[in-house]
Amino acid sequence: MLAGPIAGAFLAYGALAAQARNEVVIDNFTFGPHDLTVPAGTTVKWVNHDDIPHTVIASDKSFRSKALDTDDSYAFTFTGPGTFSYFCGLHPQMTGTIIVK
């Protein structure tokens, strides 16, 4: 009888862990993690937890978010391999990299 709820809890935990691996948190004027490696076909989500707006802009202009207010998010799907550097257009000292394999 307990197998169902226990299995469900493990599946839910696995889904949350997978989601967290593909998420970049914006907090205290930093992107975390700074470098994120994902397989091709992965959708990466950026979530702003700062009290001021930030943007996510690819250095090669392949993706660009609108200004993200507190708790806003932006997602982009990386379809092919490569190294994608990005920055905040409002605070260019904020940088990060997505590595797609």
Side-chain angles (χ1 to χ4, degrees):
M1 283 192 185
L2 291 176
I6 292 171
F10 280 115
L11 289 173
Y13 174 77
L16 288 174
Q19 179 184 9
R21 283 193 304 263
N22 300 328
E23 186 172 281
V24 177
V25 173
I26 304 167
D27 195 17
N28 198 25
F29 287 86
T30 59
F31 292 109
H34 182 273
D35 300 325
L36 178 63
T37 302
V38 298
T42 299
T43 299
V44 175
K45 180 180 176 183
W46 288 262
V47 181
N48 182 14
H49 290 306
D50 266 344
D51 292 335
I52 63 166
H54 293 290
T55 61
V56 178
I57 302 172
S59 298
D60 68 0
K61 299 180 178 37
S62 59
F63 57 90
R64 179 186 191 107
S65 74
K66 67 175 182 65
L68 303 174
D69 287 323
T70 303
D71 295 328
D72 280 351
S73 65
Y74 168 73
F76 183 81
T77 301
F78 292 88
T79 57
T83 300
F84 300 88
S85 298
Y86 63 90
F87 62 96
C88 173
L90 303 171
H91 311 98
Q93 76 279 9
M94 293 174 57
T95 62
T97 304
I98 305 296
I99 302 158
V100 182
K101 297 197 174 204

